[in-house]
Amino acid sequence: MPLALRHAPPRPPLRLAVAALLCALSGCASLAPLPLTPGACSERRLDRMLFGMNSPDGPVSEAQWQAFLAEVVTPRFPDGLTVYSARGQWRGASGQIEQEDSRAIDLVHVDSADGRRRVVEIAESYKRRFRQEAVLILSAPTRACFAAAGDARAAAG
């Protein structure tokens, strides 16, 4: 009796497997929409900027920080931003671990070349003004939603 040939089950093409893996790793799955008024959400860019408050000339004072916000940041992002205090740690150019008070700014804006340029201008200005080695910028695509009056009723319904 002749031997029957065994056939392996068909394999998906390699390109399909690679595409599926890349999709899974890059977060292709989208977020489920919030139960808000239609049009309340839009795709945006989130740039979080972290600023060390120590400088070679001494700590950056609250007055100096407020002046920087008023003169440099707000004119570039007048539609709004969020500022909060933090405590940071990093290894400086000297190789030593530095710990310092920090300020963080969240900028949510349309992802455009102009918006990205303004973020970098803020970082460069801060480094010059306060003689900093670096400003950390974290960037990510985000969905921004404004919950308006009446949205709570829609969510409960």
Side-chain angles (χ1 to χ4, degrees):
M1 186 153 128
L3 293 174
L5 293 177
R6 290 182 146 194
H7 292 285
R11 291 181 10 197
L14 182 59
R15 278 190 217 173
L16 180 60
V18 169
L21 177 63
L22 288 175
C23 185
L25 292 175
S26 66
C28 285
S30 63
L31 294 171
L34 293 170
L36 298 173
T37 304
C41 300
S42 60
E43 301 306 313
R44 294 285 186 254
R45 176 188 182 99
L46 170 62
D47 287 306
R48 175 169 294 155
M49 304 183 74
L50 292 112
F51 303 87
M53 298 299 281
N54 290 349
S55 79
D57 301 322
V60 176
S61 71
E62 187 61 29
Q64 290 172 308
W65 172 251
Q66 291 300 325
F68 176 75
L69 282 176
E71 296 164 10
V72 177
V73 181
T74 300
R76 285 172 175 80
F77 290 94
D79 290 341
L81 52 101
T82 300
V83 179
Y84 47 97
S85 296
R87 181 96 180 131
Q89 176 176 304
W90 64 295
R91 186 180 309 275
S94 68
Q96 297 295 316
I97 298 293
E98 309 274 342
Q99 293 184 344
E100 63 184 318
D101 289 331
S102 305
R103 297 294 181 274
I105 298 176
D106 281 350
L107 301 165
V108 178
H109 57 98
V110 172
D111 188 8
S112 67
D114 180 59
R116 294 187 299 271
R117 177 190 51 78
R118 289 180 282 144
V119 168
V120 172
E121 286 174 355
I122 292 168
E124 293 301 321
S125 179
Y126 191 82
K127 289 187 313 185
R128 277 191 309 276
R129 186 180 287 206
F130 300 112
R131 298 177 12 170
Q132 297 288 304
E133 288 181 34
V135 169
L136 178 62
I137 304 170
L138 304 171
S139 302
T142 193
R143 179 180 297 150
C145 302
F146 283 99
D151 285 336
R153 287 190 307 271

